[in-house]
Amino acid sequence: MSNARTARFSRRGLLAAGGALGLGAVLTACGDDDAKDGGADTKGSAKSGPWTFKDDRGTTVKLDEAPRNIVAFTGVAAALYDYGIEVKGVFGPTTTKDGKADVQAGDMDVSKVTILGNVWDQFNVEKYAALAPDVLISTMFDDAGTLWYVPEASKDKIAKLAPSVGISVFDRQLTGPLQRMWELAESLGADMTAAKVTDAKKRFEAASERLRKAAKAKPEIKVLVGSASPELFYVSGSNLSIDLEYFKALGVNFVEPTEEAKKATGGWFESLSWENVDKYKADVILMDDRSSAIQPADITEATWKQLPAVKAGQVIARSTEPILSYDKCVAPVEALAEAIEKAKKVS
């Protein structure tokens, strides 16, 4: 458990545990390096000639041709899959304990990719090398260019095997990273004029307008963003996270932890004991949908069950690490819009 304990006190460990919310997943980060073997050829019409892409670190990757042996963080791979680009290998939450696809894997067939690591600090470098990777792609949750779920201890070895691309999901609105993933997929040969792709973007825009109208019509509805672990309940602030910054820009009235309370987590969230879970009043609660967090139906704490929003059935799931395709971002926006439309004032 030593690695997990170390990660527990690092900024990256905090984020891995609950994105912008909690510590739970770190406690299970001591898994072995066993990975499911597979491999899927990259689909899409790879463009002929040299490939160049400038990432959000300002780093320009140049290859003789578009990469085919792609390895990516699970959520990135899921987004590329929606655009018709498949990867060889993934790292990050990919399968659940029962072997099913993790929520962050989206529609990918997880049996057809090589899983290099399924939990925090797990990345099988030998298997990565065996894939002969052309490029590694991940997101970034800070402004220092730290690639998400690439272990600190092995990052230098990993970097020597292939160039990397980083897409920032830090302190900006959701539409920015969505556009960047669109550009990346297009550069890899995805058909961005396909009806499935263009229709998804239109549906996202329509959902966003619906949320804007709902928030404007019911500004009194307060939305709290939370995540649950056995010991603590985490309340997220609306800054830094791409989905919450976007929703706030559309007019959603978020419950905000105090700045003083968020200092210990770099501004992301406040940790509350279950006895103090009622510190903030809310009408709707958005709960972390990732496998690292306890889901609402499994929370047994009496203080949780007594919250007005819980008693009113006004609790919905939050895609804490959104899959950056327009298709996957429609449902979370629509769900929040519907929740606000139907919400009763209970706080």
Side-chain angles (χ1 to χ4, degrees), residues 83-152:
Y83 291 130
I85 304 296
E86 296 188 18
V87 305
K88 285 280 190 178
V90 297
F91 55 95
T94 307
T95 58
T96 58
K97 291 179 180 179
D98 58 6
K100 296 180 180 179
D102 189 273
V103 65
Q104 294 192 64
D107 293 332
M108 281 194 304
D109 184 343
V110 296
S111 70
K112 293 183 178 180
V113 293
T114 297
I115 301 173
L116 303 174
N118 201 51
V119 297
W120 185 253
D121 256 357
Q122 183 185 87
F123 192 113
N124 192 312
V125 180
E126 290 72 23
K127 286 189 176 182
Y128 178 57
L131 291 175
D134 295 320
V135 68
L136 178 148
I137 310 171
S138 191
T139 49
M140 300 181 297
F141 277 88
D142 60 28
D143 54 9
T146 306
L147 296 174
W148 192 230
Y149 266 81
V150 173
E152 184 70 22

Side-chain angles (χ1 to χ4, degrees), residues 215-288:
K216 184 177 181 179
K218 302 178 82 170
E220 73 280 6
I221 297 300
K222 296 181 180 180
V223 179
L224 181 144
V225 183
S227 183
S229 76
E231 297 85 10
L232 297 168
F233 183 79
Y234 310 96
V235 179
S236 178
S238 62
N239 292 330
L240 304 182
S241 297
I242 57 174
D243 59 330
L244 304 186
E245 288 205 11
Y246 183 56
F247 299 157
K248 181 170 63 176
L250 292 175
V252 175
N253 180 10
F254 282 111
V255 172
E256 299 285 355
T258 65
E259 292 303 314
E260 184 66 26
K262 292 189 295 182
K263 279 185 179 180
T265 63
W268 289 94
F269 58 89
E270 176 180 0
S271 305
L272 297 175
S273 67
W274 283 103
E275 290 77 11
N276 294 316
V277 74
D278 61 351
K279 177 178 178 180
Y280 298 105
K281 308 303 179 184
D283 305 296
V284 173
I285 301 177
L286 272 176
M287 288 293 288
D288 188 348

Side-chain angles (χ1 to χ4, degrees), residues 275-324:
E275 290 77 11
N276 294 316
V277 74
D278 61 351
K279 177 178 178 180
Y280 298 105
K281 308 303 179 184
D283 305 296
V284 173
I285 301 177
L286 272 176
M287 288 293 288
D288 188 348
D289 72 349
R290 294 171 304 170
S291 55
S292 58
I294 300 175
Q295 297 307 300
D298 298 320
I299 298 175
T300 59
E301 300 290 341
T303 48
W304 162 262
K305 294 180 178 180
Q306 290 304 309
L307 293 178
V310 175
K311 293 173 72 174
Q314 296 177 175
V315 179
I316 64 171
R318 174 200 176 197
S319 296
T320 306
E321 291 186 50
I323 293 173
L324 297 173

